Amino acid sequence: MVLRTLLRAVIVGPPGSGKGTVSDRIVKTFGLKHLSSGDLLRSNINDKSEIGLVARAYIDQGQLVPDDVMTRLILQELKVLEQHCWLLDGFPRTVTQAASLDKAYQVDTVLNLNVPFETIKQRLTARWIHPASGRIYNTDFNPPKIPGIDDATGEPLIQREDDKPETVIKRLQAYEAQTKPVLDYYRSNGVLETFSGTETNKIWPHVHAFLACKLPVVNKTETSP
Ligand code: G5P
Ligand code: MG
């Protein structure tokens, strides 16, 4: 058990690999704080903040937001979480970002979701989200109780602009070129743990077992294996 201090974890994987879905289960089961770079950017876009205006142009093109903008944004948010165990989702996505994070915090473990690209493309066109909370649905995998409506708030769901098929291809290309080297970076640091598969429900028990050796379970959820 890592009881020494606070666990600092990162979850990586291609677009649509299930980072958000698995993070939600980790948060419910182990009580970590979850910080999703994509959710943070979308909330900035929604608020029409300066960062949001810059980020939108990149996101809509399926490209990565520049490293300096991203790093500043995430490190600022992490300051607020200093007294907590946290799980970073979607950051770092380049080796430059990983090195900047290392300078500020020691990353204890990196969960790598290795899901084939073909599986992913089908998932993203069926995704619906509740923008205010980041809750994720899928018309095939976990549909809302009422189509187009968030289960918890009754508010409308939306589809992400960058889930258009042509943008998904660009995001996968960006992952291949810029994010895959991050896996080598963490592998050489000895903190990378890879979980391979095509279904979240089959990957999740392995993630659960791995984290249960490091963290106490705070809540047995309906998705606990
Ligand atoms: P994001 O928001 O970080 P991506 O592209 O990394 O976006 P994404 O799309 O959010 O990742 P995910 O979180 O890995 O995917 O996957 P998810 O949402 O949990 O699952 C995808 C869908 O599949 C959902 O509908 C879910 O219900 C369904 N699903 C899950 N499991 C299964 C299953 O077993 N079966 C089936 N059938 N379905 C399933 O980043 C967005 C953009 O922001 C910028 C970039 O422009 C990026 O493209 N950005 C950054 N730029 C620079 N640096 C950074 N660090 C950046 N972070 C974000
Ligand atoms: Mg996500």
Side-chain angles (χ1 to χ4, degrees), residues 104-192:
Y105 299 96
Q106 183 193 320
V107 173
D108 299 304
T109 193
V110 177
L111 311 169
N112 172 30
L113 303 185
N114 180 27
V115 178
F117 281 8
E118 271 318 306
T119 307
I120 287 165
K121 283 188 205 157
Q122 291 160 13
R123 285 181 185 181
L124 291 181
T125 47
R127 172 164 60 186
W128 290 80
I129 61 162
H130 176 244
S133 66
R135 259 187 295 284
I136 306 159
Y137 299 88
N138 185 288
T139 47
D140 304 322
F141 177 64
N142 59 333
K145 290 184 186 125
I146 302 168
I149 300 294
D150 179 47
D151 290 350
T153 63
E155 289 168 354
L157 302 175
I158 59 159
Q159 287 202 284
R160 275 172 47 176
E161 277 292 318
D162 61 346
D163 278 347
K164 290 184 191 129
E166 62 275 20
T167 316
V168 168
I169 290 169
K170 288 189 194 150
R171 287 162 60 199
L172 290 170
Q173 286 166 345
Y175 172 80
E176 193 71 31
Q178 290 162 278
T179 308
K180 271 217 167 153
V182 175
L183 304 184
D184 297 328
Y185 177 93
Y186 283 128
R187 194 175 287 116
S188 67
N189 284 2
V191 291
L192 190 78

Coordinates of all heavy atoms in Angstrom, one line a residue, residues 104-192:
A104 N 7.3 19.4 -11.0 CA 6.5 19.9 -9.9 C 6.0 18.7 -9.0 O 5.9 19.0 -7.8 CB 5.2 20.5 -10.5
Y105 N 5.8 17.5 -9.5 CA 5.2 16.4 -8.7 C 5.9 15.1 -9.1 O 6.2 14.9 -10.3 CB 3.7 16.3 -8.9 CG 2.9 17.5 -8.5 CD1 2.6 18.5 -9.5 CD2 2.6 17.7 -7.2 CE1 1.9 19.6 -9.1 CE2 1.9 18.9 -6.8 CZ 1.5 19.8 -7.8 OH 0.8 20.9 -7.4
Q106 N 6.0 14.2 -8.1 CA 6.4 12.8 -8.5 C 5.2 12.0 -8.9 O 4.2 11.9 -8.1 CB 7.1 12.2 -7.3 CG 7.6 10.8 -7.6 CD 8.0 10.1 -6.3 OE1 8.5 10.6 -5.4 NE2 7.7 8.8 -6.3
V107 N 5.2 11.5 -10.1 CA 4.1 10.7 -10.5 C 4.3 9.3 -10.1 O 5.4 8.7 -10.4 CB 3.9 10.8 -12.1 CG1 2.9 9.8 -12.6 CG2 3.6 12.2 -12.5
D108 N 3.4 8.7 -9.3 CA 3.6 7.3 -8.8 C 3.2 6.2 -9.8 O 3.9 5.2 -9.8 CB 2.8 7.1 -7.5 CG 3.2 8.1 -6.5 OD1 4.4 8.2 -6.1 OD2 2.3 8.9 -6.0
T109 N 2.2 6.4 -10.5 CA 1.7 5.4 -11.4 C 1.0 6.0 -12.6 O 0.3 7.0 -12.5 CB 0.8 4.4 -10.6 OG1 0.7 3.2 -11.4 CG2 -0.5 4.9 -10.3
V110 N 1.2 5.3 -13.8 CA 0.6 5.8 -15.0 C -0.2 4.6 -15.6 O 0.4 3.5 -15.9 CB 1.6 6.2 -16.0 CG1 1.0 6.6 -17.3 CG2 2.4 7.4 -15.4
L111 N -1.5 4.7 -15.7 CA -2.4 3.7 -16.2 C -2.6 3.9 -17.7 O -3.1 4.9 -18.1 CB -3.8 3.7 -15.5 CG -3.7 3.8 -13.9 CD1 -5.1 4.2 -13.4 CD2 -3.2 2.5 -13.3
N112 N -2.1 3.0 -18.5 CA -2.2 3.1 -19.9 C -3.3 2.2 -20.5 O -3.2 1.0 -20.4 CB -0.8 2.7 -20.5 CG -0.8 2.7 -22.0 OD1 -1.6 3.4 -22.7 ND2 0.0 1.8 -22.6
L113 N -4.3 2.8 -21.1 CA -5.4 2.0 -21.7 C -5.0 1.8 -23.1 O -5.0 2.7 -23.9 CB -6.7 2.7 -21.6 CG -7.2 3.1 -20.1 CD1 -8.6 3.8 -20.2 CD2 -7.1 1.9 -19.2
N114 N -4.8 0.5 -23.4 CA -4.3 0.1 -24.8 C -5.5 -0.5 -25.5 O -5.8 -1.7 -25.4 CB -3.2 -0.8 -24.6 CG -2.6 -1.3 -26.0 OD1 -2.8 -0.6 -27.0 ND2 -2.1 -2.5 -26.0
V115 N -6.3 0.4 -26.3 CA -7.5 -0.1 -27.0 C -7.3 0.2 -28.5 O -6.8 1.2 -28.8 CB -8.7 0.7 -26.4 CG1 -10.0 0.3 -27.2 CG2 -8.9 0.5 -24.9
P116 N -7.6 -0.8 -29.3 CA -7.3 -0.7 -30.7 C -8.1 0.5 -31.4 O -9.2 0.8 -31.0 CB -7.8 -2.0 -31.4 CG -8.1 -2.9 -30.2 CD -8.2 -2.1 -29.0
F117 N -7.5 1.1 -32.3 CA -8.1 2.3 -33.0 C -9.4 2.0 -33.6 O -10.3 2.8 -33.6 CB -7.1 2.9 -34.1 CG -6.0 3.7 -33.5 CD1 -5.8 3.8 -32.1 CD2 -5.2 4.5 -34.4 CE1 -4.8 4.6 -31.6 CE2 -4.2 5.3 -33.8 CZ -4.0 5.3 -32.5
E118 N -9.6 0.8 -34.2 CA -10.8 0.4 -34.9 C -12.0 0.5 -33.9 O -13.1 0.9 -34.2 CB -10.7 -0.9 -35.5 CG -10.2 -0.9 -37.0 CD -10.8 0.3 -37.8 OE1 -12.0 0.4 -37.9 OE2 -10.0 1.1 -38.3
T119 N -11.8 0.0 -32.7 CA -12.8 -0.1 -31.6 C -13.2 1.3 -31.3 O -14.4 1.6 -31.1 CB -12.2 -0.7 -30.3 OG1 -11.6 -2.0 -30.7 CG2 -13.2 -0.9 -29.3
I120 N -12.2 2.2 -31.2 CA -12.5 3.6 -30.7 C -13.3 4.4 -31.7 O -14.2 5.1 -31.2 CB -11.1 4.3 -30.6 CG1 -10.4 3.7 -29.4 CG2 -11.2 5.8 -30.5 CD1 -8.9 4.1 -29.3
K121 N -13.1 4.3 -33.0 CA -13.8 5.1 -33.9 C -15.3 5.0 -33.8 O -16.0 5.9 -33.9 CB -13.3 4.8 -35.4 CG -12.0 5.4 -35.7 CD -11.7 5.2 -37.1 CE -10.2 5.2 -37.4 NZ -9.8 4.5 -38.6
Q122 N -15.7 3.7 -33.6 CA -17.2 3.5 -33.5 C -17.7 4.1 -32.3 O -18.8 4.6 -32.3 CB -17.5 2.0 -33.5 CG -17.2 1.2 -34.8 CD -17.0 -0.2 -34.6 OE1 -17.3 -0.8 -33.5 NE2 -16.5 -0.9 -35.6
R123 N -17.0 4.0 -31.2 CA -17.5 4.5 -29.9 C -17.8 6.0 -29.9 O -18.7 6.5 -29.3 CB -16.4 4.3 -28.8 CG -16.3 3.0 -28.3 CD -15.2 3.0 -27.3 NE -14.9 1.7 -26.8 CZ -14.0 1.4 -25.9 NH1 -13.4 2.4 -25.3 NH2 -13.8 0.2 -25.5
L124 N -16.9 6.8 -30.6 CA -16.9 8.2 -30.4 C -18.2 8.8 -31.1 O -18.7 9.8 -30.6 CB -15.7 8.9 -30.9 CG -14.5 8.6 -30.0 CD1 -13.2 9.3 -30.5 CD2 -14.7 9.0 -28.5
T125 N -18.6 8.2 -32.2 CA -19.8 8.8 -32.8 C -21.0 8.5 -32.0 O -22.1 9.2 -32.2 CB -19.9 8.2 -34.3 OG1 -19.7 6.8 -34.2 CG2 -18.9 8.8 -35.2
A126 N -20.9 7.6 -31.1 CA -22.1 7.2 -30.3 C -22.0 7.9 -28.9 O -22.9 7.6 -28.0 CB -22.2 5.7 -30.1
R127 N -21.1 8.8 -28.7 CA -20.9 9.4 -27.4 C -21.8 10.7 -27.2 O -21.9 11.5 -28.1 CB -19.4 9.8 -27.1 CG -19.2 10.6 -25.9 CD -17.8 10.7 -25.4 NE -16.9 11.3 -26.4 CZ -15.6 11.4 -26.2 NH1 -15.1 10.8 -25.1 NH2 -14.9 11.9 -27.1
W128 N -22.4 10.8 -26.0 CA -23.1 12.0 -25.6 C -22.5 12.4 -24.3 O -22.2 11.5 -23.5 CB -24.6 11.7 -25.5 CG -25.2 11.5 -26.9 CD1 -25.2 10.4 -27.6 CD2 -25.9 12.5 -27.6 NE1 -25.8 10.6 -28.8 CE2 -26.3 11.9 -28.9 CE3 -26.3 13.8 -27.4 CZ2 -27.0 12.5 -29.8 CZ3 -27.0 14.5 -28.4 CH2 -27.3 13.9 -29.6
I129 N -22.4 13.7 -24.0 CA -21.9 14.1 -22.7 C -22.8 15.2 -22.1 O -23.6 15.9 -22.7 CB -20.5 14.7 -22.8 CG1 -20.4 15.9 -23.7 CG2 -19.5 13.7 -23.2 CD1 -19.2 16.8 -23.5
H130 N -22.7 15.2 -20.7 CA -23.4 16.3 -20.0 C -22.3 17.3 -19.7 O -21.4 17.1 -18.9 CB -24.0 15.7 -18.7 CG -24.6 16.8 -17.8 ND1 -24.1 17.1 -16.6 CD2 -25.6 17.6 -18.1 CE1 -24.9 18.1 -16.1 NE2 -25.8 18.4 -16.9
P131 N -22.3 18.5 -20.4 CA -21.1 19.3 -20.3 C -20.8 19.9 -18.9 O -19.7 20.0 -18.6 CB -21.5 20.5 -21.3 CG -22.9 20.3 -21.7 CD -23.3 18.9 -21.3
A132 N -21.8 20.2 -18.1 CA -21.5 20.8 -16.8 C -20.8 19.8 -15.9 O -19.9 20.3 -15.1 CB -22.9 21.2 -16.2
S133 N -21.1 18.5 -15.9 CA -20.4 17.6 -15.0 C -19.4 16.8 -15.7 O -18.6 16.1 -15.0 CB -21.5 16.6 -14.4 OG -22.0 15.8 -15.5
G134 N -19.4 16.7 -17.0 CA -18.4 15.8 -17.7 C -19.0 14.4 -17.8 O -18.3 13.5 -18.3
R135 N -20.2 14.1 -17.3 CA -20.7 12.7 -17.3 C -20.8 12.2 -18.8 O -21.2 13.0 -19.7 CB -22.1 12.7 -16.7 CG -22.1 12.1 -15.3 CD -23.5 11.9 -14.7 NE -24.3 13.1 -14.6 CZ -24.1 14.0 -13.6 NH1 -23.2 13.8 -12.7 NH2 -24.8 15.1 -13.6
I136 N -20.4 11.0 -18.9 CA -20.2 10.4 -20.3 C -21.3 9.3 -20.5 O -21.4 8.4 -19.7 CB -18.8 9.8 -20.5 CG1 -17.7 10.8 -20.1 CG2 -18.6 9.3 -21.9 CD1 -16.4 10.2 -19.8
Y137 N -21.9 9.4 -21.7 CA -22.8 8.3 -22.1 C -22.4 7.8 -23.5 O -21.6 8.4 -24.2 CB -24.3 8.8 -22.2 CG -24.8 9.4 -20.9 CD1 -24.6 10.7 -20.5 CD2 -25.5 8.6 -20.0 CE1 -25.1 11.2 -19.3 CE2 -26.0 9.1 -18.8 CZ -25.8 10.4 -18.5 OH -26.3 10.9 -17.3
N138 N -23.1 6.7 -23.8 CA -22.8 6.1 -25.2 C -24.1 5.4 -25.5 O -24.6 4.6 -24.7 CB -21.6 5.1 -25.1 CG -21.2 4.6 -26.5 OD1 -22.0 3.8 -27.0 ND2 -20.1 5.1 -27.0
T139 N -24.6 5.7 -26.7 CA -25.9 5.1 -27.1 C -25.9 3.5 -27.1 O -26.9 2.9 -27.0 CB -26.5 5.7 -28.4 OG1 -25.4 5.6 -29.3 CG2 -26.9 7.1 -28.2
D140 N -24.7 3.0 -27.3 CA -24.6 1.5 -27.3 C -24.2 1.0 -25.9 O -24.7 0.0 -25.4 CB -23.5 1.0 -28.3 CG -23.7 1.5 -29.6 OD1 -24.9 1.6 -30.1 OD2 -22.7 1.9 -30.3
F141 N -23.2 1.6 -25.3 CA -22.5 1.0 -24.1 C -23.2 1.4 -22.8 O -23.5 0.5 -22.0 CB -21.1 1.5 -24.1 CG -20.3 1.1 -22.9 CD1 -20.0 -0.3 -22.7 CD2 -19.8 2.0 -22.0 CE1 -19.3 -0.7 -21.6 CE2 -19.0 1.6 -20.9 CZ -18.8 0.3 -20.7
N142 N -23.5 2.7 -22.6 CA -24.2 3.1 -21.3 C -25.1 4.3 -21.7 O -24.9 5.4 -21.4 CB -23.1 3.6 -20.2 CG -22.3 4.7 -20.7 OD1 -22.0 4.8 -21.9 ND2 -21.8 5.5 -19.7
P143 N -26.3 3.9 -22.3 CA -27.2 5.0 -22.7 C -27.8 5.7 -21.5 O -28.0 5.0 -20.4 CB -28.3 4.2 -23.5 CG -28.1 2.8 -23.1 CD -26.7 2.6 -22.6
P144 N -28.2 6.9 -21.7 CA -29.0 7.6 -20.6 C -30.4 6.9 -20.5 O -30.8 6.3 -21.4 CB -29.1 9.0 -21.1 CG -28.9 9.0 -22.6 CD -28.0 7.8 -22.9
K145 N -31.0 7.1 -19.3 CA -32.3 6.5 -19.1 C -33.3 7.1 -20.2 O -34.1 6.3 -20.7 CB -32.8 6.7 -17.7 CG -32.0 6.0 -16.7 CD -32.6 6.1 -15.3 CE -31.7 5.4 -14.3 NZ -31.2 6.3 -13.2
I146 N -33.3 8.4 -20.4 CA -34.1 9.0 -21.4 C -33.1 9.5 -22.5 O -32.2 10.3 -22.1 CB -34.9 10.2 -20.8 CG1 -35.8 9.7 -19.7 CG2 -35.8 10.9 -21.9 CD1 -36.4 10.8 -18.8
P147 N -33.3 9.2 -23.8 CA -32.4 9.6 -24.8 C -32.2 11.1 -24.8 O -33.2 11.9 -24.7 CB -33.0 9.1 -26.1 CG -34.0 8.0 -25.7 CD -34.4 8.3 -24.3
G148 N -30.9 11.5 -24.8 CA -30.6 13.0 -24.9 C -30.7 13.7 -23.6 O -30.5 15.0 -23.6
I149 N -31.0 13.0 -22.5 CA -31.2 13.7 -21.2 C -30.2 13.1 -20.1 O -30.1 11.9 -20.0 CB -32.6 13.6 -20.7 CG1 -33.6 14.2 -21.7 CG2 -32.9 14.2 -19.3 CD1 -33.6 15.7 -21.9
D150 N -29.6 14.0 -19.4 CA -28.7 13.6 -18.3 C -29.5 12.9 -17.2 O -30.5 13.5 -16.7 CB -27.9 14.8 -17.7 CG -27.0 14.4 -16.6 OD1 -26.3 13.4 -16.7 OD2 -27.0 15.1 -15.6
D151 N -29.1 11.7 -16.7 CA -29.8 11.0 -15.7 C -29.9 11.8 -14.4 O -31.0 11.7 -13.7 CB -29.0 9.6 -15.3 CG -29.1 8.6 -16.5 OD1 -29.9 8.9 -17.4 OD2 -28.4 7.6 -16.4
A152 N -28.8 12.4 -14.0 CA -28.8 13.1 -12.7 C -29.5 14.4 -12.6 O -30.2 14.7 -11.6 CB -27.3 13.3 -12.2
T153 N -29.4 15.2 -13.7 CA -30.0 16.6 -13.6 C -31.2 16.8 -14.5 O -31.9 17.8 -14.3 CB -28.9 17.6 -14.0 OG1 -28.6 17.3 -15.4 CG2 -27.6 17.5 -13.2
G154 N -31.4 15.9 -15.4 CA -32.5 16.1 -16.4 C -32.2 17.2 -17.5 O -33.0 17.5 -18.2
E155 N -30.9 17.6 -17.5 CA -30.5 18.6 -18.5 C -30.2 17.9 -19.8 O -29.8 16.7 -19.8 CB -29.3 19.4 -18.0 CG -29.7 20.4 -16.8 CD -28.5 21.0 -16.1 OE1 -27.3 20.6 -16.4 OE2 -28.7 21.8 -15.2
P156 N -30.2 18.7 -20.9 CA -29.9 18.1 -22.2 C -28.4 17.6 -22.3 O -27.5 18.3 -21.8 CB -30.2 19.2 -23.2 CG -30.5 20.4 -22.5 CD -30.6 20.1 -21.0
L157 N -28.2 16.6 -23.1 CA -26.9 16.1 -23.4 C -26.5 16.7 -24.7 O -27.3 17.0 -25.5 CB -26.8 14.6 -23.5 CG -27.3 13.8 -22.2 CD1 -27.3 12.3 -22.5 CD2 -26.4 14.1 -21.1
I158 N -25.1 16.8 -25.0 CA -24.7 17.2 -26.3 C -23.6 16.3 -26.8 O -23.1 15.4 -26.1 CB -24.0 18.7 -26.2 CG1 -22.8 18.6 -25.2 CG2 -25.0 19.7 -25.8 CD1 -21.9 19.8 -25.4
Q159 N -23.4 16.4 -28.1 CA -22.2 15.6 -28.7 C -21.1 16.6 -28.9 O -21.2 17.8 -29.1 CB -22.6 15.1 -30.1 CG -23.6 13.9 -29.9 CD -23.6 13.0 -31.2 OE1 -24.2 13.4 -32.2 NE2 -23.0 11.8 -31.1
R160 N -19.8 16.1 -28.6 CA -18.7 16.9 -28.7 C -18.4 17.3 -30.2 O -18.4 16.4 -31.1 CB -17.5 16.2 -28.1 CG -17.4 16.4 -26.6 CD -16.4 15.5 -25.9 NE -15.0 15.5 -26.5 CZ -14.0 14.9 -26.0 NH1 -14.1 14.2 -24.9 NH2 -12.8 14.9 -26.6
E161 N -18.0 18.5 -30.4 CA -17.7 19.0 -31.8 C -16.5 18.1 -32.4 O -16.5 17.8 -33.6 CB -17.2 20.4 -31.7 CG -18.3 21.5 -31.7 CD -19.0 21.5 -33.0 OE1 -18.4 21.5 -34.1 OE2 -20.3 21.6 -33.0
D162 N -15.6 17.8 -31.5 CA -14.4 17.0 -32.0 C -14.7 15.5 -32.2 O -13.7 14.8 -32.4 CB -13.1 17.3 -31.2 CG -13.3 16.9 -29.8 OD1 -14.4 16.6 -29.3 OD2 -12.2 16.8 -29.1
D163 N -15.9 15.1 -32.0 CA -16.2 13.7 -32.3 C -16.7 13.4 -33.7 O -17.1 12.3 -34.0 CB -17.3 13.2 -31.3 CG -16.6 12.8 -29.9 OD1 -15.4 12.7 -29.9 OD2 -17.4 12.6 -28.9
K164 N -16.6 14.4 -34.6 CA -16.9 14.2 -36.0 C -15.9 13.3 -36.5 O -14.7 13.4 -36.2 CB -16.8 15.5 -36.8 CG -17.9 16.5 -36.5 CD -17.7 17.7 -37.4 CE -18.6 18.8 -36.9 NZ -17.9 20.1 -36.8
P165 N -16.3 12.3 -37.4 CA -15.3 11.3 -37.9 C -14.0 11.9 -38.4 O -12.9 11.4 -38.1 CB -16.1 10.6 -39.0 CG -17.5 10.8 -38.7 CD -17.6 12.1 -38.0
E166 N -14.0 13.0 -39.2 CA -12.8 13.5 -39.8 C -11.9 14.1 -38.7 O -10.6 14.0 -38.8 CB -13.1 14.6 -40.9 CG -13.8 15.8 -40.5 CD -15.4 15.7 -40.5 OE1 -15.9 14.5 -40.4 OE2 -16.1 16.7 -40.5
T167 N -12.5 14.6 -37.6 CA -11.7 15.2 -36.5 C -11.1 14.0 -35.7 O -10.0 14.1 -35.2 CB -12.5 16.2 -35.6 OG1 -13.2 17.0 -36.5 CG2 -11.6 17.0 -34.7
V168 N -11.9 13.0 -35.5 CA -11.4 11.8 -34.7 C -10.1 11.3 -35.4 O -9.1 10.9 -34.7 CB -12.5 10.7 -34.6 CG1 -11.9 9.4 -34.1 CG2 -13.6 11.2 -33.8
I169 N -10.1 11.2 -36.7 CA -8.9 10.7 -37.4 C -7.7 11.6 -37.1 O -6.6 11.1 -36.7 CB -9.1 10.6 -38.9 CG1 -10.1 9.5 -39.2 CG2 -7.8 10.4 -39.7 CD1 -10.7 9.4 -40.6
K170 N -7.9 12.9 -37.1 CA -6.8 13.8 -36.7 C -6.3 13.6 -35.3 O -5.1 13.7 -35.0 CB -7.2 15.2 -37.0 CG -7.3 15.6 -38.4 CD -7.5 17.1 -38.6 CE -8.0 17.4 -40.0 NZ -8.8 18.6 -40.1
R171 N -7.3 13.4 -34.4 CA -6.9 13.2 -33.0 C -6.1 11.9 -32.8 O -5.2 11.9 -32.0 CB -8.2 13.2 -32.1 CG -8.8 14.5 -32.0 CD -10.3 14.4 -31.5 NE -10.4 13.8 -30.2 CZ -11.6 13.3 -29.8 NH1 -12.6 13.3 -30.5 NH2 -11.6 12.7 -28.6
L172 N -6.5 10.9 -33.5 CA -5.7 9.6 -33.5 C -4.3 9.8 -34.0 O -3.3 9.3 -33.5 CB -6.5 8.5 -34.2 CG -7.8 8.0 -33.5 CD1 -8.6 7.1 -34.5 CD2 -7.5 7.3 -32.2
Q173 N -4.2 10.6 -35.1 CA -2.9 10.9 -35.6 C -2.0 11.7 -34.6 O -0.8 11.4 -34.5 CB -3.0 11.7 -37.0 CG -3.5 10.8 -38.1 CD -3.9 11.6 -39.3 OE1 -4.1 12.8 -39.2 NE2 -4.1 10.9 -40.4
A174 N -2.6 12.6 -34.0 CA -1.9 13.4 -33.0 C -1.4 12.5 -31.8 O -0.3 12.6 -31.3 CB -2.7 14.6 -32.4
Y175 N -2.3 11.6 -31.5 CA -1.9 10.6 -30.4 C -0.7 9.8 -30.8 O 0.3 9.7 -30.0 CB -3.1 9.7 -30.1 CG -2.7 8.6 -29.1 CD1 -2.7 8.8 -27.8 CD2 -2.4 7.3 -29.6 CE1 -2.3 7.8 -26.9 CE2 -2.0 6.3 -28.7 CZ -1.9 6.6 -27.4 OH -1.5 5.6 -26.5
E176 N -0.8 9.3 -32.0 CA 0.3 8.4 -32.5 C 1.7 9.2 -32.5 O 2.7 8.7 -32.1 CB 0.0 8.0 -33.9 CG 0.8 6.9 -34.5 CD 0.5 5.5 -33.9 OE1 -0.6 5.3 -33.5 OE2 1.4 4.7 -33.8
A177 N 1.6 10.4 -33.0 CA 2.9 11.2 -33.2 C 3.4 11.8 -31.9 O 4.6 11.8 -31.6 CB 2.7 12.3 -34.2
Q178 N 2.4 12.4 -31.1 CA 2.9 13.2 -30.0 C 2.7 12.5 -28.6 O 3.5 12.8 -27.7 CB 2.2 14.5 -30.0 CG 2.6 15.4 -31.1 CD 1.6 16.5 -31.4 OE1 0.6 16.3 -32.1 NE2 1.9 17.7 -30.9
T179 N 1.7 11.6 -28.4 CA 1.5 11.1 -27.1 C 2.1 9.7 -26.9 O 2.5 9.4 -25.8 CB -0.1 11.0 -26.8 OG1 -0.6 12.3 -27.1 CG2 -0.4 10.6 -25.4
K180 N 2.3 8.9 -28.0 CA 2.9 7.6 -27.8 C 4.3 7.7 -27.2 O 4.6 6.9 -26.3 CB 3.0 6.9 -29.1 CG 1.7 6.0 -29.4 CD 2.1 4.7 -30.0 CE 0.9 3.8 -30.0 NZ 1.0 2.8 -31.1
P181 N 5.1 8.7 -27.5 CA 6.4 8.9 -26.9 C 6.3 9.1 -25.4 O 7.3 8.7 -24.6 CB 7.0 10.1 -27.5 CG 6.4 10.2 -28.9 CD 5.0 9.7 -28.7
V182 N 5.2 9.6 -24.9 CA 5.0 9.7 -23.4 C 5.0 8.3 -22.7 O 5.4 8.2 -21.6 CB 3.7 10.5 -23.1 CG1 3.4 10.6 -21.6 CG2 3.7 11.9 -23.7
L183 N 4.5 7.3 -23.5 CA 4.5 6.0 -22.9 C 5.9 5.5 -22.7 O 6.2 4.9 -21.6 CB 3.7 5.0 -23.8 CG 2.3 5.4 -24.2 CD1 1.6 4.2 -25.0 CD2 1.4 5.6 -22.9
D184 N 6.8 5.7 -23.6 CA 8.2 5.3 -23.5 C 8.8 6.1 -22.3 O 9.6 5.5 -21.6 CB 9.0 5.6 -24.8 CG 8.4 4.8 -26.0 OD1 7.9 3.7 -25.7 OD2 8.4 5.3 -27.1
Y185 N 8.5 7.4 -22.2 CA 9.0 8.2 -21.1 C 8.7 7.6 -19.8 O 9.6 7.4 -18.9 CB 8.4 9.6 -21.3 CG 8.8 10.6 -20.2 CD1 9.9 11.4 -20.4 CD2 8.1 10.7 -19.0 CE1 10.3 12.3 -19.4 CE2 8.5 11.6 -18.0 CZ 9.5 12.4 -18.2 OH 9.9 13.3 -17.3
Y186 N 7.4 7.2 -19.6 CA 7.0 6.7 -18.3 C 7.5 5.2 -18.1 O 7.7 4.8 -17.0 CB 5.5 6.8 -18.1 CG 5.1 8.2 -17.7 CD1 4.1 8.8 -18.4 CD2 5.6 8.9 -16.6 CE1 3.7 10.1 -18.1 CE2 5.2 10.1 -16.3 CZ 4.3 10.8 -17.0 OH 3.9 12.0 -16.7
R187 N 7.6 4.5 -19.2 CA 8.1 3.1 -19.2 C 9.5 3.1 -18.6 O 9.9 2.4 -17.7 CB 8.0 2.4 -20.5 CG 8.2 0.9 -20.5 CD 8.0 0.3 -21.9 NE 6.7 0.3 -22.3 CZ 6.2 0.9 -23.4 NH1 7.0 1.7 -24.1 NH2 4.9 0.9 -23.7
S188 N 10.3 4.1 -19.1 CA 11.7 4.1 -18.7 C 11.8 4.6 -17.3 O 12.8 4.4 -16.6 CB 12.6 4.9 -19.7 OG 12.2 6.3 -19.6
N189 N 10.8 5.3 -16.8 CA 10.8 5.8 -15.4 C 10.3 4.6 -14.5 O 10.2 4.8 -13.2 CB 9.8 7.0 -15.2 CG 10.4 8.3 -15.6 OD1 11.5 8.3 -16.2 ND2 9.7 9.3 -15.5
G190 N 9.8 3.5 -15.1 CA 9.3 2.4 -14.3 C 7.9 2.5 -13.7 O 7.6 1.8 -12.7
V191 N 7.1 3.5 -14.2 CA 5.8 3.7 -13.5 C 4.6 3.3 -14.5 O 3.5 3.5 -14.1 CB 5.6 5.1 -13.0 CG1 6.5 5.4 -11.9 CG2 5.8 6.1 -14.2
L192 N 4.9 2.8 -15.7 CA 3.8 2.6 -16.6 C 3.2 1.2 -16.4 O 3.9 0.2 -16.3 CB 4.4 2.6 -18.1 CG 3.3 2.6 -19.2 CD1 2.7 4.0 -19.3 CD2 3.9 2.2 -20.5

